[in-house]
C-alpha cells in the first residue's frame, strides 16, 4: 500500500497538457510556509515540486488551473530520473490523485463532466482513454476535451453559457417534480 501526501500552494507556471498513450498534464507547484520568527510572521523557504496528472484529471487540470491559482494536491511522491550529458539527474514529482482549488483563498464554481448517454445501467468512470467526456469552461470559451472516438485532445462546441442554461433548466424541472 502506498501512502498519499497532501500539498497546498500556488500554480507556479502554465499547465502543460500533452497527448501520449493517455493525456498528461504537468505544472510546477510552489509551497511557501509562513513561519513566526523574532515576533513577526515571515515567508519561509519555497518548496517547488512538479505535479503530474493523467487521463481525465489531466484534461480537467489543464482546463481549470492558471498560473497563480491556489490549489490543494493529493498524490503519490515519485522520483523521476534521467541522464543528460553523461550525468544522472533526479527530481521529486507528485503524481496527482486529486487536485482542487484552495477555497481558503478564493471561490470556485464546479462543473461536472458530461456523462455518456447509455440505454443500460450507469457505467463507472474507468479513467481509461476514450471514456472521458468533454468539459466546458464557465467563462464561455471552448475547452480541450478528449474525443471519445479517437482518444485525442480537441475542443468542444458547448460553451459555459449554454451549459449554465442546461443546468438551470434541469434544476427547474427537478423542482416541479418534488411538489
Amino acid at each position: 500500500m502506498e501512502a498519499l501526501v497532501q500539498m497546498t500552494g500556488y500554480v507556479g507556471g502554465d499547465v502543460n497538457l500533452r497527448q501520449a498513450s493517455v493525456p498528461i498534464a504537468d505544472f510546477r507547484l510552489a509551497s511557501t510556509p509562513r513561519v513566526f520568527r523574532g515576533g513577526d510572521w515571515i515567508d519561509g523557504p519555497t518548496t517547488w515540486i512538479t505535479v503530474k496528472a493523467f487521463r481525465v484529471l489531466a484534461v480537467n487540470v489543464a482546463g481549470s488551473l492558471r498560473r497563480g491559482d491556489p490549489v490543494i494536491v493529493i498524490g503519490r511522491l515519485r522520483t523521476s530520473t534521467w541522464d543528460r550529458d553523461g550525468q544522472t539527474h533526479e527530481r521529486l514529482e507528485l503524481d496527482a490523485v486529486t487536485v482542487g482549488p484552495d477555497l481558503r483563498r478564493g471561490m470556485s464554481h464546479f462543473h461536472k463532466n458530461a456523462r455518456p448517454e447509455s440505454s443500460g445501467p450507469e457505467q463507472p468512470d474507468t479513467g481509461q482513454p476514450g471514456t472521458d467526456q468533454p468539459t466546458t469552461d464557465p467563462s464561455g470559451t471552448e475547452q480541450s476535451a478528449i474525443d471519445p472516438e479517437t482518444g485525442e485532445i480537441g475542443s468542444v462546441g458547448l460553451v459555459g453559457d449554454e451549459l449554465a442554461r442546461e443546468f438551470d433548466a434541469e434544476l427547474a424541472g427537478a423542482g416541479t417534480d418534488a411538489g
Side-chain angles (χ1 to χ4, degrees):
M1 177 179 279
E2 291 183 284
L4 297 177
V5 298
Q6 171 186 308
M7 287 189 72
T8 60
Y10 292 88
V11 177
D14 294 332
V15 177
N16 177 32
L17 178 65
R18 62 191 179 284
Q19 178 70 37
S21 58
V22 297
I24 302 170
D26 61 72
F27 65 92
R28 297 284 287 162
L29 177 70
S31 182
T32 306
R34 296 286 289 167
V35 294
F36 193 73
R37 285 201 189 124
D40 291 320
W41 286 98
I42 62 170
D43 286 342
T46 300
T47 299
W48 288 91
I49 191 163
T50 298
V51 175
K52 287 193 172 182
F54 302 89
R55 297 179 179 81
V56 71
L57 179 59
V59 174
N60 289 344
V61 161
S64 300
L65 299 183
R66 301 292 171 259
R67 180 184 305 211
D69 286 350
V71 292
I72 300 171
V73 180
I74 299 171
R76 295 173 187 87
L77 287 175
R78 301 274 189 247
T79 302
S80 176
T81 308
W82 69 96
D83 290 320
R84 183 184 302 152
D85 301 327
Q87 290 190 329
T88 300
H89 300 272
E90 289 185 356
R91 175 175 55 202
L92 196 58
E93 295 179 344
L94 185 56
D95 283 355
V97 172
T98 191
V99 178
D102 186 346
L103 297 179
R104 293 176 305 147
R105 309 209 183 275
M107 294 174 49
S108 178
H109 188 81
F110 185 78
H111 292 276
K112 289 184 181 181
N113 289 345
R115 292 189 176 259
E117 297 289 329
S118 69
S119 58
E122 191 171 304
Q123 300 296 318
D125 179 12
T126 63
Q128 298 300 313
T131 63
D132 305 321
Q133 295 300 306
T135 58
T136 60
D137 184 326
S139 68
T141 58
E142 288 188 350
Q143 176 179 321
S144 295
I146 300 173
D147 182 329
E149 297 291 320
T150 65
E152 293 187 6
I153 298 170
S155 63
V156 296
L158 186 64
V159 294
D161 290 341
E162 293 169 323
L163 180 66
R165 281 192 291 276
E166 277 188 17
F167 183 71
D168 289 342
E170 286 180 27
L171 286 178
T176 57
D177 295 338

